[in-house]
């Protein structure tokens, strides 16, 4: 009997493509589901994804590509979900095959808008997947730098150490280092919250605040993130580890971050709607803000940054005035 | 009797100029010592410093400019030192007037090379100034953004709360917010250590590491800074406050930082000597590295980043190999 667990990636975007590339360094075959049949055909001929992360080489000979998600679920033991959180429910509705017994890793970094849950919780609550079969793959990691094979560090969180080790072994290579954690809730919330703080950084930049303020904002953001996560899932964690602080920084300081770009447009005076229409990609931070605000209203965490972003994005508050108020709450 | 304490700035560089500008928002007269008589003449005529931070308006009518440090010490109650740490001993050797009774604030962010002490300790040990009359002014704050009147946050550390409040009141304005702390040792070490981490960030960038690695480096740097400062001066502090983490970020992410530029040149293959000769300004991180390495060898703090930078700058180790080894010690 072959004990080797078969791994498939669900998603056709940049991060999914980067994960496929990383897995291809180690696995003979990587399952890869994406909706677009034409993208699959292109990859089979040209060994790169035509729509996202084109610069990453992915070799068709190693790939089991399919636009049928049920085939993937049937044939693979481990499923890595790497699609925008807003599309997750829609994809899962296609399922006719059971997820029972599957190991699910989330590489989504967002909240499921329909349920307001992080991805791990969604699979646990809605599909009854036990937490020991749920894991999280988190950065700090821009997909673009994976394509360039620049040294990056991933954190693999799973309560079951065997599953964490399996994923770690499958992803690491000469340009990828991995670290194992058992904080699936905290790492996933961090990955989601950092997108809100990247929106905040973008708004501040759009309003004309400079680098001095940005560093104060990030220093307050990591303290706010710590308070938030502690309310949700109290355990011993060092918030300055790469999966939390590192992930915040790589996004909050990246001028390529969609969330930061979205915030920047809002700061510069675009309405939320027009900023969203200008952007062809989804800014996870937009959905995350709504869910996080709701949670913080319930759990009582002190989160002035989330509140300010919420007021700008959902309450039609003037960004300039709202951030001016925010500056008095930071230190 | 007039209880108003008179404040003077010692130094003619960018940061000194920024501090003079901030004080000028509040004080009728600001004392300002610099060595260069021609710069003083220029400021008197043109209301800006000709050599550093030219864009900052400083009004001669508010300034008591002098190239005689003894005159300043005689006439002023509070002295803010804002000169490169390498020049401090030389300036202090000129003193004929006693510093007894003076309140000394350090805005130096470095180590005194001759004694290996941070500035506060130097004044305490060599000039017998009691710690309650010693304070620290720290960022995160690029002088350039003060010139542009962009919102910035300063931390004023002093064990004597009255002195801290006096300085806070004198510096704050519509674009400067201030926070008071009693951690004079920790904030000053943070200000010094962050320069080493900025050199490290520069070396990494020069070697071709990307943003993913930079965020891991900063995340490890703040944990290393915490370990280091805890060994030197144990007290309750939140290392993620702006004076520590914020200051690290504003320097470590700034492409204008002299320390980062210096490191970048070394990473790109310049010898340490030639990189120093190329730069007309002093990179504080160079001296800080030597002192910090010595201290860490004695106090046993685990500081892989400081050690790697030391080996490159002082042990003639190959930057590429040394940083490759370092990457295995980070997570």
């Amino acid at each position: 009997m072959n004990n080797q667990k078969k791994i498939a990636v669900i998603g056709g975007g940049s991060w999914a493509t980067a994960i496929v590339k990383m897995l291809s360094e180690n696995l003979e075959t990587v399952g890869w589901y994406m909706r677009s049949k034409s993208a699959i055909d292109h990859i089979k001929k040209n060994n790169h994804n035509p729509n996202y992360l084109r610069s990453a080489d992915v070799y068709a000979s190693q790939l089991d590509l399919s636009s049928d998600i049920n085939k993937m679920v049937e044939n693979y033991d481990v499923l890595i979900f790497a699609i925008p959180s807003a599309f997750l429910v829609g994809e899962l509705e296609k399922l006719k095959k059971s997820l029972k017994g599957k190991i699910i890793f989330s590489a989504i970094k967002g909240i499921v808008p329909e349920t307001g849950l992080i991805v791990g919780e969604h699979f646990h609550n809605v599909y009854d997947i036990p937490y020991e079969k749920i894991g999280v793959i988190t950065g700090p990691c821009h997909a673009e730098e994976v394509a360039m094979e620049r040294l990056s560090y991933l954190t693999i969180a799973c309560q079951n150490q065997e599953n964490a080790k399996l994923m770690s072994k499958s992803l690491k290579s000469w340009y990828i280092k991995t670290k194992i954690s058992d904080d699936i809730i905290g790492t996933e919330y961090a990955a989601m919250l950092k997108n809100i703080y990247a929106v905040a950084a973008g708004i501040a930049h759009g309003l004309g605040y400079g680098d001095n303020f940005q560093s104060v904002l990030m220093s307050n953001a990591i303290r706010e993130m710590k308070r938030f996560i502690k309310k949700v899932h109290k355990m011993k964690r060092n918030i300055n580890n790469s999966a939390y602080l590192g992930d915040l920084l790589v996004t909050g300081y990246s001028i390529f971050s969609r969330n930061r770009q979205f915030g920047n447009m809002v700061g510069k005076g675009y309405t939320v709607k027009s900023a969203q229409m200008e952007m062809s990609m989804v800014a996870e931070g937009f959905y995350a803000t709504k869910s996080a605000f709701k949670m913080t209203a319930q759990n009582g965490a002190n989160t002035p940054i989330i509140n300010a972003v919420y007021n700008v994005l959902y309450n039609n508050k003037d960004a300039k005035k709202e951030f001016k108020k925010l500056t008095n709450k930071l230190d």
Side-chain angles (χ1 to χ4, degrees), chain A:
Chain A
M1 201 183 85
N2 186 357
N3 262 327
Q4 188 68 44
K5 289 208 162 46
K6 292 171 73 190
I7 304 179
V9 176
I10 309 296
S14 298
W15 188 221
T17 307
I19 292 173
V20 167
K21 177 178 161 66
M22 293 186 255
L23 293 171
S24 302
E25 306 285 350
N26 297 301
L27 307 181
E28 254 178 63
T29 306
V30 179
W32 192 1
Y33 161 80
M34 64 182 73
R35 282 184 299 183
S36 165
K37 284 179 190 164
S38 65
I40 289 177
D41 289 341
H42 185 101
I43 296 170
K44 282 183 176 164
K45 275 188 215 137
N46 303 291
N47 297 313
H48 69 255
N49 185 339
N51 303 318
Y52 299 99
L53 212 66
R54 288 176 67 97
S55 59
D57 295 321
V58 285
Y59 298 101
S61 57
Q62 270 181 285
L63 302 174
D64 174 21
L65 283 151
S66 174
S67 63
D68 178 355
I69 194 170
N70 282 294
K71 198 182 139 197
M72 284 294 146
V73 172
E74 186 166 19
N75 293 342
Y76 287 83
D77 313 297
V78 183
L79 304 168
I80 302 174
F81 283 84
I83 52 179
S85 63
F87 301 159
L88 182 67
V89 166
E91 288 296 338
L92 291 174
E93 276 170 358
K94 298 179 190 167
L95 284 189
K96 295 184 191 88
K97 302 288 172 188
S98 164
L99 290 172
K100 195 160 184 272
K102 303 295 175 187
I103 298 168
I104 308 280
F105 272 87
S106 162
I108 291 187
K109 310 177 177 188
I111 209 103
V112 183
E114 291 87 346
T115 57
L117 299 171
I118 51 172
V119 176
E121 289 172 335
H122 184 83
F123 277 104
H124 179 73
N125 291 5
V126 181
Y127 291 89
D128 217 16
I129 312 280
Y131 271 122
E132 64 167 24
K133 285 190 180 291
I134 291 175
V136 175
I137 300 168
T138 187
C141 196
H142 288 309
E144 291 71 17
E145 293 199 345
V146 174
M148 297 158 80
E149 301 183 353
R150 278 187 165 168
L151 182 65
S152 304
Y153 292 64
L154 296 180
T155 293
I156 316 296
C158 189
Q159 284 169 4
N160 180 311
Q161 290 293 294
E162 284 312 304
N163 292 341
K165 278 182 199 159
L166 163 76
M167 188 52 68
S168 165
K169 226 179 68 182
S170 307
L171 288 167
K172 73 181 171 193
S173 65
W174 69 270
Y175 58 89
I176 301 291
K177 292 188 194 290
T178 57
K179 179 177 179 171
I180 284 175
S181 156
D182 58 359
D183 184 18
I184 53 166
I185 305 291
T187 52
E188 203 167 357
Y189 270 105
M192 162 220 168
L193 292 169
K194 65 123 196 281
N195 288 329
I196 305 174
Y197 301 127
V199 173
I203 294 175
H205 185 260
L207 288 168
Y209 290 92
D211 293 347
N212 290 353
F213 180 72
Q214 159 75 357
S215 67
V216 171
L217 183 65
M218 291 295 112
S219 139
N220 279 271
I222 193 67
R223 284 177 272 154
E224 181 173 307
M225 181 190 280
K226 185 178 178 173
R227 292 192 297 268
F228 185 106
I229 298 180
K230 198 176 164 185
K231 288 274 185 190
V232 178
H233 183 61
K234 197 169 175 173
M235 65 173 273
K236 201 173 151 59
R237 65 172 68 83
N238 187 341
I239 203 75
N240 287 346
N241 281 349
S242 293
Y244 315 95
L245 177 62
D247 206 18
L248 170 68
L249 296 179
V250 83
T251 308
Y253 274 96
S254 168
I255 51 169
F256 302 109
S257 153
R258 283 163 284 183
N259 294 294
R260 199 171 181 284
Q261 281 173 9
F262 170 64
N264 189 39
M265 291 170 80
V266 172
K268 284 204 185 304
Y270 280 71
T271 63
V272 172
K273 199 143 229 164
S274 60
Q276 284 179 316
M277 285 170 66
E278 278 282 326
M279 296 187 62
S280 61
M281 293 166 112
V282 181
E284 290 281 3
F286 179 72
Y287 305 110
T289 299
K290 190 171 184 180
S291 300
F293 181 78
K294 246 195 225 165
M295 292 181 66
T296 203
Q298 284 164 9
N299 69 28
N302 172 28
T303 54
I305 305 172
I306 292 172
N307 301 1
V309 174
Y310 180 83
N311 281 335
V312 173
L313 299 188
Y314 291 93
N315 274 344
N316 207 20
K317 294 279 169 136
D318 180 67
K320 192 173 169 184
K321 283 186 198 155
E322 197 61 32
F323 267 59
K324 175 109 173 108
K325 274 196 274 175
L326 175 62
T327 63
N328 292 321
K329 295 176 188 159
L330 307 182
D331 66 5

